Amino acid sequence: MMRIYLIGYMGSGKSTLGKKLAKYAGLQFVDMDHYLEERNYKTIPQIFAEEGEAEFRKKERKALEELSEFSDVVIATGGGAPCFFDNVHLMNRTGKTIYLNIDPGILADRLMESKTERPLIKGKSKKELIHFIDETLKKRNEFYSQAHYQITDPDTGLDEILKMIERD
Ligand code: S3P
Protein backbone atom coordinates (compact mmCIF):
# COMPACT_ATOMS: atom_id res chain seq x y z
CA MET A 1 0.00 0.00 0.00
CA MET A 2 1.34 3.40 -0.96
CA ARG A 3 0.15 6.81 0.24
CA ILE A 4 2.18 9.85 -0.79
CA TYR A 5 1.57 13.42 0.41
CA LEU A 6 3.05 16.30 -1.56
CA ILE A 7 3.49 19.38 0.58
CA GLY A 8 4.82 22.86 -0.10
CA TYR A 9 3.98 26.48 -0.71
CA MET A 10 1.26 27.72 -3.06
CA GLY A 11 2.62 27.53 -6.60
CA SER A 12 5.28 24.93 -5.81
CA GLY A 13 3.76 22.51 -8.35
CA LYS A 14 2.18 19.93 -6.02
CA SER A 15 -0.80 19.23 -8.29
CA THR A 16 1.23 19.14 -11.51
CA LEU A 17 3.80 16.75 -10.06
CA GLY A 18 1.13 14.77 -8.20
CA LYS A 19 -0.82 14.00 -11.37
CA LYS A 20 2.31 12.88 -13.23
CA LEU A 21 3.63 10.83 -10.33
CA ALA A 22 0.28 9.10 -9.77
CA LYS A 23 0.01 8.17 -13.44
CA TYR A 24 3.60 6.94 -13.57
CA ALA A 25 3.26 4.84 -10.43
CA GLY A 26 -0.27 3.56 -11.18
CA LEU A 27 -1.79 5.33 -8.17
CA GLN A 28 -4.91 7.43 -7.76
CA PHE A 29 -4.45 11.22 -7.62
CA VAL A 30 -6.40 13.48 -5.24
CA ASP A 31 -6.11 17.25 -5.02
CA MET A 32 -6.98 18.08 -1.42
CA ASP A 33 -8.36 21.57 -2.25
CA HIS A 34 -10.76 20.09 -4.81
CA TYR A 35 -11.77 17.29 -2.45
CA LEU A 36 -12.50 19.83 0.28
CA GLU A 37 -14.57 21.99 -2.09
CA GLU A 38 -16.66 19.02 -3.18
CA ARG A 39 -17.21 17.80 0.37
CA ASN A 40 -18.38 21.25 1.48
CA TYR A 41 -20.29 22.29 -1.65
CA LYS A 42 -18.34 25.58 -1.64
CA THR A 43 -15.23 26.94 -3.30
CA ILE A 44 -12.21 27.84 -1.16
CA PRO A 45 -12.64 31.59 -1.82
CA GLN A 46 -16.28 31.22 -0.67
CA ILE A 47 -15.28 29.43 2.52
CA PHE A 48 -12.69 32.10 3.35
CA ALA A 49 -15.12 34.94 2.60
CA GLU A 50 -18.15 33.51 4.38
CA GLU A 51 -16.61 31.60 7.28
CA GLY A 52 -13.05 32.89 7.67
CA GLU A 53 -9.64 31.19 7.69
CA ALA A 54 -10.04 29.43 11.06
CA GLU A 55 -13.12 27.59 9.80
CA PHE A 56 -11.32 26.76 6.54
CA ARG A 57 -8.48 25.17 8.56
CA LYS A 58 -10.97 22.98 10.44
CA LYS A 59 -12.49 21.80 7.18
CA GLU A 60 -9.00 21.20 5.81
CA ARG A 61 -8.16 19.05 8.85
CA LYS A 62 -11.35 17.05 8.37
CA ALA A 63 -10.53 16.49 4.69
CA LEU A 64 -7.03 15.35 5.65
CA GLU A 65 -8.40 12.87 8.20
CA GLU A 66 -10.57 11.36 5.48
CA LEU A 67 -7.81 11.30 2.88
CA SER A 68 -5.40 9.66 5.31
CA GLU A 69 -7.54 6.53 4.93
CA PHE A 70 -7.30 6.42 1.12
CA SER A 71 -5.03 3.70 -0.28
CA ASP A 72 -2.62 3.73 -3.21
CA VAL A 73 -2.89 7.44 -3.67
CA VAL A 74 -0.87 10.58 -4.31
CA ILE A 75 -2.37 13.55 -2.43
CA ALA A 76 -1.49 17.13 -3.38
CA THR A 77 -2.16 19.01 -0.13
CA GLY A 78 -3.08 22.69 0.29
CA GLY A 79 -0.08 24.96 0.89
CA GLY A 80 -1.00 25.69 4.50
CA ALA A 81 -2.22 22.20 5.38
CA PRO A 82 0.92 20.87 7.17
CA CYS A 83 1.18 24.05 9.25
CA PHE A 84 -2.00 23.72 11.34
CA PHE A 85 -3.02 21.36 14.17
CA ASP A 86 -0.81 18.27 14.12
CA ASN A 87 -1.46 17.78 10.41
CA VAL A 88 2.17 17.22 9.46
CA HIS A 89 2.43 14.45 12.04
CA LEU A 90 -0.77 12.85 10.78
CA MET A 91 0.70 12.85 7.27
CA ASN A 92 4.06 11.50 8.42
CA ARG A 93 2.35 8.74 10.37
CA THR A 94 0.05 7.64 7.59
CA GLY A 95 2.24 8.04 4.50
CA LYS A 96 5.38 9.32 2.84
CA THR A 97 5.68 13.08 2.76
CA ILE A 98 7.59 14.96 0.08
CA TYR A 99 8.30 18.68 0.41
CA LEU A 100 8.56 20.60 -2.85
CA ASN A 101 11.07 23.20 -1.75
CA ILE A 102 11.01 25.73 -4.58
CA ASP A 103 12.87 29.04 -4.73
CA PRO A 104 10.67 31.96 -3.48
CA GLY A 105 11.43 34.00 -6.62
CA ILE A 106 10.03 31.21 -8.81
CA LEU A 107 6.98 30.90 -6.53
CA ALA A 108 6.29 34.65 -6.86
CA ASP A 109 6.56 34.50 -10.67
CA ARG A 110 4.25 31.50 -10.90
CA LEU A 111 1.69 32.94 -8.47
CA MET A 112 1.56 36.27 -10.36
CA GLU A 113 0.66 34.30 -13.52
CA SER A 114 -1.67 31.76 -11.93
CA LYS A 115 -5.38 31.84 -12.69
CA THR A 116 -6.28 29.98 -9.49
CA GLU A 117 -8.01 32.26 -7.00
CA ARG A 118 -6.12 32.16 -3.70
CA PRO A 119 -7.68 34.25 -0.91
CA LEU A 120 -4.43 34.73 1.05
CA ILE A 121 -2.64 36.51 -1.81
CA LYS A 122 -5.50 38.00 -3.79
CA GLY A 123 -4.83 41.51 -5.13
CA LYS A 124 -1.19 41.66 -4.03
CA SER A 125 1.41 43.40 -6.20
CA LYS A 126 4.59 41.50 -7.06
CA LYS A 127 6.48 43.37 -4.33
CA GLU A 128 3.81 42.66 -1.71
CA LEU A 129 3.69 39.05 -2.80
CA ILE A 130 7.45 38.57 -2.41
CA HIS A 131 7.26 40.09 1.07
CA PHE A 132 4.30 37.87 1.98
CA ILE A 133 6.05 34.72 0.73
CA ASP A 134 9.20 35.55 2.72
CA GLU A 135 7.22 36.19 5.91
CA THR A 136 5.01 33.11 5.69
CA LEU A 137 7.88 30.82 4.68
CA LYS A 138 9.74 31.84 7.84
CA LYS A 139 6.86 30.38 9.86
CA ARG A 140 5.99 27.51 7.58
CA ASN A 141 9.51 26.12 7.12
CA GLU A 142 9.35 24.63 10.60
CA PHE A 143 6.51 22.40 9.36
CA TYR A 144 7.59 21.82 5.76
CA SER A 145 11.03 20.72 6.90
CA GLN A 146 9.48 17.82 8.83
CA ALA A 147 8.67 16.02 5.57
CA HIS A 148 10.38 12.68 5.01
CA TYR A 149 11.88 13.85 1.69
CA GLN A 150 12.57 17.10 -0.14
CA ILE A 151 12.72 18.00 -3.81
CA THR A 152 14.42 21.26 -4.75
CA ASP A 153 14.66 20.70 -8.48
CA PRO A 154 11.25 20.97 -10.18
CA ASP A 155 12.59 18.76 -12.99
CA THR A 156 13.47 15.81 -10.76
CA GLY A 157 12.55 12.62 -12.66
CA LEU A 158 9.56 10.54 -11.60
CA ASP A 159 11.67 7.37 -11.48
CA GLU A 160 14.14 9.15 -9.21
CA ILE A 161 11.34 10.21 -6.85
CA LEU A 162 9.93 6.69 -6.66
CA LYS A 163 13.35 5.17 -6.09
CA MET A 164 13.99 7.65 -3.28
CA ILE A 165 10.77 6.59 -1.57
CA GLU A 166 11.12 2.89 -2.15
CA ARG A 167 14.71 2.80 -0.88
CA ASP A 168 13.57 2.83 2.75
C1 S3P B 1 -3.39 27.93 1.01
C2 S3P B 1 -3.07 27.26 -0.16
C3 S3P B 1 -4.09 26.87 -1.14
C4 S3P B 1 -5.46 26.68 -0.49
C5 S3P B 1 -5.83 27.90 0.31
C6 S3P B 1 -4.79 28.26 1.37
C7 S3P B 1 -2.29 28.30 1.94
O1 S3P B 1 -3.70 25.66 -1.77
O2 S3P B 1 -5.49 25.54 0.34
O3 S3P B 1 -5.98 28.98 -0.59
O4 S3P B 1 -2.56 28.59 3.12
O5 S3P B 1 -1.10 28.27 1.52
P1 S3P B 1 -2.55 25.56 -2.92
O6 S3P B 1 -1.23 25.36 -2.22
O7 S3P B 1 -2.95 24.35 -3.70
O8 S3P B 1 -2.59 26.81 -3.70
Side-chain angles (χ1 to χ4, degrees), residues 5 20 25 33 53 80 85 102-103 121 126 142 154 162 167:
Y5 297 97
K20 285 193 211 154
D33 287 340
E53 181 174 351
F85 311 105
I102 304 301
D103 178 78
I121 56 171
K126 179 88 181 265
E142 175 194 340
L162 282 183
R167 253 200 307 268

Side-chain angles (χ1 to χ4, degrees), residues 72-166:
D72 295 320
V73 65
V74 178
I75 302 162
T77 65
C83 314
F84 292 85
F85 311 105
D86 69 336
N87 290 355
V88 73
H89 295 126
L90 175 60
M91 293 186 223
N92 277 337
R93 259 201 329 274
T94 56
K96 308 270 190 187
T97 47
I98 307 177
Y99 171 34
L100 272 61
N101 184 356
I102 304 301
D103 178 78
I106 297 178
L107 294 177
D109 286 344
R110 286 195 194 154
L111 290 170
M112 284 306 287
E113 305 231 319
S114 170
K115 302 270 179 292
T116 308
E117 201 182 318
R118 294 177 166 101
L120 292 178
I121 56 171
K122 199 172 175 221
K124 290 201 190 308
S125 68
K126 179 88 181 265
K127 209 173 149 210
E128 288 165 342
L129 183 60
I130 290 172
H131 180 72
F132 181 81
I133 294 174
D134 283 345
E135 288 303 305
T136 39
L137 268 180
K138 271 187 216 155
K139 297 184 207 134
R140 289 185 173 191
N141 275 335
E142 175 194 340
F143 300 95
Y144 291 153
S145 62
Q146 293 180 49
H148 295 129
Y149 310 96
Q150 281 204 30
I151 293 176
T152 47
D153 177 1
D155 296 322
T156 307
L158 300 174
D159 53 337
E160 216 180 300
I161 297 173
L162 282 183
K163 269 191 214 136
M164 172 177 84
I165 291 177
E166 283 164 357

Side-chain angles (χ1 to χ4, degrees), residues 27-50:
L27 303 170
Q28 182 193 176
F29 171 72
V30 182
D31 181 299
M32 194 169 148
D33 287 340
H34 290 164
Y35 180 83
L36 189 155
E37 289 182 327
E38 281 181 9
R39 288 285 278 107
N40 291 283
Y41 308 104
K42 277 185 185 185
T43 65
I44 287 174
Q46 265 174 335
I47 299 171
F48 268 80
E50 294 169 14

